[in-house]
Amino acid sequence: MAITMANTIITITGTPIIMLDDFLVRAGLAGLGVVLAAGPLGCFVVWRRMAYFGDATAHAAILGVALSLGFGAPVYLGTLGVAIAMGWLVAHLAGRGEAVDTALGVLAHGALAVGLVAASFVPGLRNDLNAWLFGDILLVRPADLAWVWGGALLVLGLLIWRWQAMVTATVNEELAMAAGINPARERLILTLAMAIIVAVAIRIVGALLVSALLVIPAAAARGLARSPEHMAVIATLIGAVSVGLGLAASLYADTPAGPSIIAAASVIFLCALPLRRGLA
Amino acid sequence: MRAEITDPTPLIEARDLTVRLRGADQPILTDVDFTIRPGEIVTVVGPNGSGKSTLVRAVLGHVAAESGRVIRRKGLRIGYVPQRVHVDDRIPMSVRRFLSLPRRVSDADAASALARTGVDGLQDRQITRLSGGQFQRVLLARALLHRPELLVLDEPTQGLDQPGIVAFYRLIEEIRRETGAAVLMVSHDLLVVMRASDHVICLNGHVCCHGTPQAVSAAPEYQALFGADSAQTLALYRHQHDHDHDGHHHGEHDHHHHGDAHHHA
């Protein structure tokens, strides 16, 4: 496990400076990469009430991991594929006006359960399951860093490219349509962005906490922000600080890194509550 | 002088328009014909479920015609105020930022649009903190930003009180006079809206009757839908309004209900 490894290295090298050269730097960079995209994307999750949607997509990713490892396919691609499929399914149901809340509940937990059952058939995954469920940011390899940053920059690019259209469609779909924007297409792009973030963040905070990384910094930023852009930037900063605090806690107090990051974000959310500015 | 005399090309022309909503057995609109000419205020009245909003959506091109067609003049610029815009409190959005969705506008253009609708100075206010009347005027200002030739307003006065409604329609008339934009309005406020219109379309799945407000209010089809009383009341309103129009319309408008919407923070 990552935690014991951290302790071992501290003991062996005796100096944290050496550590900064390897896994901790990689962990920090991976975390920052994810929050760079998760900050703005999380704002849409909050604005459009997509938290459950994020859960369904992330939980399905466990099934993607099991399938990839079972069939010897690259894990990132397998996870991404299953996350996209789940995102498409949920968006399709929502578009048809089904009882979305119930459908999401079934899909989110059904996907997790099926994924866990599938994982039990994959030799080796049984013991590793915790790392996929809760993340293992301290075990991030250089190749992971490339995936994380590639995915995060892609999502950030998509969001910046579509920003005006997406914000308009989020505020009011009729106004967006009158301006020549296709709200269904913007939803599809958000679904895709969500699947990408899930696929790259599952190594960092795990399938169970991905949507927390999206929702909590954005929710904490809401009371401090005056515009959508302002909120996206504050959410990203809160995410970055949470990554720093979570890694520090993991390093000095030997806590699990992924949950520590989310716990730090939750504490920031609570601290931000009394700071909510009286909106003019 | 009326614009339609100098420019007879219609902005919108609907021919035998039939629209069926997805999954519905019956069409919501059947064989609807109407024309909107430059500078004209056209009002659509009708009971709930009569297809008024669908007609607006067809004009905007948001719903497809099952048969017939809607012809928009080439390059027509439309400013749109939708029905019931609810902006959620979770998205922080100032009035100024809202005006730049989706096309960014300069501060000067934003200020002049807000001034035109009587809500200048509210730029930094969060839109969820506006009163119903203020928000309607901000929506109208947004619709005016890109020099529309046609303003489309779907029940723009929902949730306003009676003085607010009267003031809002007076504002619409002023804007038409100044900009020459045509206006297509859907409304429940029969009396007030009809006196502000050049042309009224009475809708109930099909066009029951249409024409000048006087002609429509006298039509048996209209009276069958809304009752004969409404026509008599309208005549009274009409008379007062004409009188008002001849005399001191301009001086009066500064004192209207929404004069207090000005805030200079």
Side-chain angles (χ1 to χ4, degrees):
Chain A
M1 288 301 288
I3 314 308
T4 42
M5 192 174 115
N7 286 337
T8 314
I9 290 173
I10 290 169
T11 324
I12 291 169
T13 61
T15 159
I17 308 299
I18 304 294
M19 274 188 342
L20 286 179
D21 281 336
D22 43 36
F23 72 92
L24 201 55
V25 167
R26 288 203 296 274
L29 283 176
L32 287 181
V34 169
V35 298
L36 196 62
L41 183 60
C43 290
F44 283 105
V45 172
V46 167
W47 297 334
R48 303 174 76 115
R49 299 173 191 258
M50 291 168 71
Y52 228 159
F53 183 95
D55 271 336
T57 312
H59 290 178
I62 284 292
L63 180 62
V65 170
L67 290 176
S68 310
L69 292 178
F71 292 102
V75 175
Y76 280 110
L77 292 182
T79 317
L80 182 63
V82 174
I84 288 176
M86 179 57 111
W88 178 83
L89 182 62
V90 171
H92 181 68
L93 289 178
R96 279 181 40 186
E98 306 272 338
V100 178
D101 192 50
T102 309
L104 279 176
V106 172
L107 287 172
H109 299 110
L112 181 62
V114 172
L116 291 174
V117 170
S120 73
F121 290 108
V122 180
L125 183 52
R126 223 182 242 265
N127 300 329
D128 258 357
L129 207 51
N130 260 355
W132 295 106
L133 288 176
F134 299 106
D136 212 341
I137 193 172
L138 297 174
L139 285 186
V140 164
R141 297 156 304 164
D144 294 319
L145 263 189
W147 278 104
V148 165
W149 274 85
L153 289 178
L154 179 62
V155 167
L156 193 62
L158 276 176
L159 293 182
I160 290 173
W161 172 46
R162 302 303 310 162
W163 186 261
Q164 282 284 88
M166 279 184 179
V167 171
T168 307
T170 301
V171 168
N172 186 275
E173 295 206 340
E174 296 275 311
L175 281 179
M177 283 166 78
I181 296 164
N182 179 353
R185 189 179 65 170
E186 306 308 328
R187 267 199 302 275
L188 199 67
I189 294 175
L190 275 179
T191 305
L192 184 66
M194 182 86 91
I196 296 172
I197 281 297
V198 163
V200 300
I202 192 168
R203 293 293 284 174
I204 315 295
V205 288
L208 293 184
L209 293 175
V210 168
S211 62
L213 192 63
L214 291 166
V215 170
I216 297 174
R222 169 59 190 100
L224 310 171
R226 300 191 56 85
S227 71
E229 296 73 30
H230 198 194
M231 181 162 157
V233 170
I234 296 176
T236 306
L237 292 177
I238 290 174
V241 171
S242 305
V243 167
L245 291 175
L247 285 178
S250 174
L251 188 60
Y252 294 110
D254 202 13
T255 58
S260 301
I261 291 170
I262 303 302
S266 307
V267 170
I268 294 174
F269 172 80
L270 288 177
C271 293
L273 280 182
L275 293 179
R276 275 176 184 257
R277 63 171 85 195
L279 298 169
Chain B
M1 191 178 71
R2 294 284 291 277
E4 69 207 56
I5 297 164
T6 52
D7 183 0
T9 317
L11 302 178
I12 299 282
E13 220 178 336
R15 290 288 160 260
D16 298 327
L17 177 68
T18 298
V19 177
R20 190 192 304 266
L21 299 180
R22 197 165 61 170
D25 297 334
Q26 297 293 320
I28 179 105
L29 293 175
T30 309
D31 294 334
V32 170
D33 287 86
F34 65 93
T35 303
I36 304 171
R37 294 192 175 78
E40 193 178 37
I41 297 186
V42 176
T43 303
V44 181
V45 297
N48 285 335
S50 60
K52 302 189 295 291
S53 286
T54 304
L55 187 141
V56 163
R57 289 166 59 78
V59 164
L60 295 168
H62 295 180
V63 291
E66 184 176 275
S67 65
R69 54 194 301 210
V70 176
I71 304 157
R72 276 172 289 273
R73 201 179 72 183
K74 218 174 153 65
L76 179 66
R77 292 190 304 272
I78 298 180
Y80 175 45
V81 177
Q83 188 181 12
R84 278 195 302 268
V85 176
H86 171 74
V87 177
D88 203 283
D89 189 38
R90 279 164 314 193
I91 181 160
M93 182 73 67
S94 66
V95 168
R96 176 68 189 85
R97 182 69 186 88
F98 180 67
L99 294 180
S100 275
L101 287 178
R103 277 167 64 188
R104 296 192 186 273
V105 295
S106 69
D107 285 342
D109 288 349
S112 88
L114 291 174
R116 180 56 280 212
T117 59
V119 283
D120 192 20
L122 292 186
Q123 277 89 333
D124 292 333
R125 190 81 73 88
Q126 292 284 310
I127 51 177
T128 50
R129 295 292 173 104
L130 299 176
S131 71
Q134 286 172 334
F135 187 45
Q136 280 306 334
R137 281 158 185 261
V138 168
L139 282 172
L140 185 60
R142 185 184 169 281
L144 289 175
L145 279 170
H146 303 290
R147 295 183 298 114
E149 296 153 295
L150 173 63
L151 275 174
V152 177
L153 313 167
D154 192 353
E155 307 216 13
T157 54
Q158 261 187 358
L160 300 190
D161 58 10
Q162 197 61 28
I165 290 169
V166 173
F168 191 86
Y169 286 127
R170 189 162 290 165
L171 178 61
I172 297 293
E173 283 186 274
E174 286 171 18
I175 286 170
R176 186 269 300 263
R177 198 166 52 238
E178 283 173 27
T179 67
V183 179
L184 172 66
M185 274 193 288
V186 165
S187 187
H188 270 130
D189 316 309
L190 289 174
L191 302 177
V192 205
V193 89
M194 283 178 74
R195 73 175 202 190
S197 308
D198 301 311
H199 197 92
V200 175
I201 298 169
C202 179
L203 196 69
N204 193 18
H206 60 282
V207 177
C208 300
C209 55
H210 68 97
T212 62
Q214 294 94 325
V216 167
S217 58
E221 294 89 344
Y222 173 85
Q223 295 187 358
L225 272 178
F226 294 104
D229 287 354
S230 57
Q232 285 162 14
T233 327
L234 180 78
L236 274 173
Y237 263 80
R238 183 93 218 157
H239 176 74
Q240 288 173 349
H241 177 67
D242 289 345
H243 180 73
D244 183 65
H245 219 270
D246 296 337
H248 23 264
H249 182 83
H250 274 285
E252 201 179 62
H253 113 262
D254 285 332
H255 306 291
H256 66 61
H257 176 70
H258 279 274
D260 62 355
H262 294 269
H263 287 275
H264 299 281

